[in-house]
Amino acid sequence: MKKTQNQMLIIFGASGDLTARKLVPALFNLYKGKHLPENFVVLGASRSPMSNEDFRKKVVEESEFLKKKLTKEEASFIKTFSDKIFYEDLGEKYDVSYSQLANKITALNEEHGTAGNYIFYLSTPPSLYETIAKNLWEEGLTKEDHGWKRIIVEKPFGYDLASAKALNEGIHKYFQESQVYRIDHYLGKETVQNLLVTRFSNSIFEPLWNRRYIHHVEITNAETVGVEKRGGYYDKSGALRDMFQSHLLQIVSLIVMEPPINSDAEEIRNEKVKALKSLRIMKDEKTIIENTLRGQYVASTIDGKTMKGYREEDGVDPDSTTETFAAVKFFVDNWRWKDVPFYVRTGKAMPTKVTEVIIHFKTPHHEVFKSQDIYRKDNKLIIRIQPDEGILIKFGVKVPGLGFHVEQANMDFYYSDLDSAKVMDAYERLLLDAMQGDTTLYARADEVEAAWKFVDPILKCWSESSIVNTYGYSVGTWGPRNSDELIEDSYGWRNPGDLLTDESGFCVLC
Ligand code: BG6
């Protein structure tokens, strides 16, 4: 196991939701799992007047996100965790002198022996990234002469390519790229990391992982929830920015990439960047309209209950055309993937919460046993990222009886069957990686820019073209009806259920 050095985590925007909801529970689990170094403190910094005690109460002792866990723990255990947490009020704004903050950091560092190793976690709007980086630099807090300094930034990393570049340039004025950790919480999911392992540690998949054997690749990301309380943010963002540019293109890069030379962070990230750069950019309106589709959920009634449409959500413009569903078909211009279509869709207010990748293999070149049902005769590899995490292979078997009728059977593996140690939550894993200086699961500047480069023309066309429609779909359905038309040869999308094997099939092999 790698050693985690003594250090301090300084969270900007600490009074916000993310700290209580994700960061502190992740730190608590790391503490319980004995993953935190001996000398470790957290310093929350934001614009709310609070004492250390108030902050501890808010994010630990009275936190609704820790409530269940705390009841099981000894009071002394909670106290020792809570004692590691401190708070500094920055006053009215983030753009002030950080000399007082610097004094506090120095004092805590000396008192708690954190060896001058600091992680600055920016849980603030991206418009503040450069300002905070500059103010830290002015106080000498980015210098690595006594201990290392790292900065973690949250998504959204940019609004488009130009703003992402500007953010990168702004941060790079004060931090080296090797100090910057851009969070994409999907990379912290075990099952997303397992895409790499499935591909590169088995000899049965990789030889087939190319245009000769793969017919098309399908990725579905669906959520049952709507925009909830985030209407204000979401209405300016939309599904393509919110999910596709970041999380889904990260998954795409892991499917498309070539084998890295080794498992070093830079080698893996180099291959991911190459993969993202090889996505064929759609340049003209006609191509974009033919290969993309946007939708928005509209009110419906489910089990007698009226479900709000997107335009009725708080913070959303009643005439909004922002997409809550996006589907994109694209190609990858390289030797491995020539002519293999990729279909990726994401949506809110859909029937179930699920993320999965489906590799559809080609039917055998010569068909000895004919089958009428095109969707059922090809082999499929389904990688379930969430929930009911696992892998399913669909293959043809003979229907008992006369003749050679072929049906599909399932061969499955579930993560829950492994009796190894508990699976870390995404934030736990990513925080621990940053603490240990491992950047593998963080997006590099060129990676983020390559993803925006692909998405930018689509966003531009969607916002400027007078002939791009936003299609309505009822809450609780699989998106606009015409989204099936995006997929050629009447394959359609696989609309899965909660469970990996939910989909009518012939039999289940255990
Ligand atoms: C976030 C998006 O990054 O990911 C949200 O901003 C989305 O809109 C969330 O709901 C989904 O994450 P998960 O881990 O629940 O699939």
Side-chain angles (χ1 to χ4, degrees):
M1 208 158 58
K2 275 192 225 160
K3 185 160 165 40
T4 313
Q5 294 171 336
N6 294 332
Q7 58 192 277
M8 186 182 320
L9 176 67
I10 299 117
I11 306 174
F12 286 85
S15 58
D17 192 42
L18 186 82
T19 306
R21 192 163 45 88
K22 293 283 182 194
L23 303 183
V24 173
L27 291 169
F28 184 74
N29 286 346
L30 290 174
Y31 179 62
K32 266 177 79 174
K34 301 195 171 30
H35 295 293
L36 294 183
E38 201 177 329
N39 299 342
F40 177 77
V41 288
V42 177
L43 175 61
S46 53
R47 293 169 309 162
S48 313
M50 268 190 285
S51 63
N52 291 337
E53 285 65 36
D54 296 336
F55 186 55
R56 288 171 187 170
K57 265 194 201 151
K58 177 178 157 70
V59 298
V60 182
E61 292 143 27
E62 292 173 7
S63 162
E64 56 172 306
F65 304 102
L66 272 179
K67 213 165 28 193
K68 278 197 208 127
K69 287 186 183 150
L70 294 186
T71 49
K72 290 189 218 127
E73 307 298 338
E74 296 283 337
S76 60
F77 184 82
I78 299 164
K79 176 142 184 4
T80 48
F81 175 70
S82 226
D83 281 351
K84 295 180 183 298
I85 299 183
F86 299 85
Y87 184 77
E88 172 73 13
D89 179 12
L90 290 175
E92 282 186 2
K93 45 185 189 168
Y94 282 93
D95 196 9
V96 288
S97 156
Y98 286 0
S99 62
Q100 201 178 311
L101 178 72
N103 290 341
K104 177 91 166 225
I105 292 175
T106 310
L108 284 173
N109 182 48
E110 280 164 13
E111 204 178 317
H112 296 270
T114 51
N117 295 325
Y118 307 150
I119 298 184
F120 302 103
Y121 195 118
L122 273 44
S123 173
T124 63
S127 53
L128 291 171
Y129 292 171
E130 184 175 345
T131 306
I132 295 174
K134 175 187 74 106
N135 294 338
L136 290 171
W137 176 82
E138 277 173 359
E139 294 302 324
L141 286 166
T142 62
K143 269 199 242 140
E144 296 199 289
D145 41 4
H146 297 292
W148 45 254
K149 310 290 178 292
R150 298 174 188 149
I151 183 167
I152 303 182
V153 290
E154 267 292 330
K155 83 170 253 278
F157 198 82
Y159 186 73
D160 52 17
L161 179 60
S163 56
K165 277 188 173 163
L167 275 181
N168 278 332
E169 281 161 18
I171 294 175
H172 286 157
K173 286 185 202 158
Y174 310 106
F175 287 89
Q176 307 290 325
E177 176 60 22
S178 58
Q179 296 174 279
V180 185
Y181 292 66
R182 294 174 195 78
I183 274 217
D184 184 307
H185 80 275
Y186 266 56
L187 288 177
K189 293 184 193 272
E190 278 292 333
T191 40
V192 172
Q193 294 158 43
N194 193 44
L195 282 168
L196 283 176
V197 177
T198 304
R199 283 191 59 192
F200 301 130
S201 73
N202 293 299
S203 54
I204 56 172
F205 298 118
E206 201 49 25
L208 308 181
W209 210 264
N210 58 56
R211 62 185 306 268
R212 290 173 80 191
Y213 299 100
I214 294 180
H215 183 271
H216 68 279
V217 176
E218 180 187 342
I219 301 176
T220 286
N221 168 270
E223 291 180 274
T224 44
V225 291
V227 290
E228 299 183 297
K229 291 180 190 150
R230 298 162 71 225
Y233 148 78
Y234 197 88
D235 207 30
K236 293 189 190 69
S237 166
L240 207 68
R241 287 191 176 89
D242 185 52
M243 288 298 303
F244 182 86
Q245 183 277 335
S246 49
H247 308 321
L248 297 181
L249 283 186
Q250 281 293 335
I251 293 177
V252 166
S253 71
L254 297 173
I255 295 166
V256 167
M257 71 188 264
E258 293 300 312
I261 298 168
N262 55 40
S263 60
D264 287 355
E266 289 318 304
E267 298 301 347
I268 292 178
R269 299 202 298 178
N270 286 344
E271 293 304 335
K272 284 172 67 195
V273 173
K274 259 167 64 188
L276 290 168
K277 283 186 173 167
S278 57
L279 305 190
R280 187 184 304 164
I281 294 175
M282 293 180 248
K283 294 195 176 113
D284 57 281
E285 188 182 55
K286 182 170 177 292
T287 313
I288 293 173
I289 290 177
E290 282 170 6
N291 292 284
T292 66
L293 193 101
R294 61 194 318 225
Q296 188 187 86
Y297 62 86
V298 297
S300 76
T301 308
I302 301 178
D303 294 335
K305 204 172 147 210
T306 308
M307 313 298 286
K308 260 197 224 171
Y310 176 69
R311 290 179 181 180
E312 284 101 61
E313 301 277 15
D314 284 349
V316 170
D317 175 354
D319 296 322
S320 173
T321 54
T322 298
E323 78 285 355
T324 59
F325 171 96
V328 183
K329 171 187 176 184
F330 60 89
F331 290 92
V332 179
D333 282 335
N334 64 20
W335 193 283
R336 186 187 285 266
W337 294 109
K338 185 172 165 38
D339 296 335
V340 178
F342 280 68
Y343 301 94
V344 180
R345 67 175 170 170
T346 175
K348 291 205 182 276
M350 294 181 89
T352 186
K353 179 167 173 72
V354 65
T355 305
E356 62 177 30
V357 175
I358 305 153
I359 309 290
H360 293 260
F361 291 96
K362 289 183 172 169
T363 49
H365 299 304
H366 172 64
E367 279 182 73
V368 179
F369 309 112
K370 301 258 187 269
S371 160
Q372 295 306 312
D373 184 349
I374 189 161
Y375 189 74
R376 295 204 170 283
K377 70 183 175 186
D378 63 338
N379 292 129
K380 295 189 229 344
L381 170 68
I382 303 173
I383 304 172
R384 184 59 95 98
I385 287 165
Q386 62 188 18
D388 200 28
E389 293 80 358
I391 293 181
L392 178 70
I393 296 178
K394 287 187 170 280
F395 64 104
V397 293
K398 181 182 176 304
V399 178
L402 286 179
F404 285 101
H405 294 295
V406 182
E407 253 296 1
Q408 280 213 322
N410 294 334
M411 197 154 65
D412 47 40
F413 151 78
Y414 295 91
Y415 263 85
S416 51
D417 292 345
L418 293 177
D419 35 55
S420 53
K422 125 181 196 314
V423 173
M424 274 191 186
D425 149 271
Y427 270 92
E428 255 172 272
R429 171 66 205 262
L430 292 172
L431 276 173
L432 185 59
D433 278 2
M435 288 178 183
Q436 297 182 337
D438 185 343
T439 52
T440 315
L441 302 177
Y442 284 87
R444 210 167 61 186
D446 48 356
E447 217 172 315
V448 173
E449 289 181 16
W452 277 118
K453 216 169 182 173
F454 178 72
V455 167
D456 244 22
I458 306 175
L459 287 170
K460 193 163 182 293
C461 172
W462 281 6
S463 72
E464 290 174 6
S465 165
S466 55
I467 50 173
V468 174
N469 293 319
T470 302
Y471 296 95
Y473 61 97
S474 303
V475 172
T477 63
W478 285 103
R481 286 216 194 125
N482 49 345
S483 61
D484 264 345
E485 289 162 18
L486 207 60
I487 304 201
E488 282 161 17
D489 299 343
S490 63
Y491 275 87
W493 299 91
R494 173 180 132 99
N495 290 335
D498 286 349
L499 301 175
L500 176 56
T501 46
D502 272 2
E503 196 197 38
S504 49
F506 180 62
C507 64
V508 178
L509 301 182
C510 297

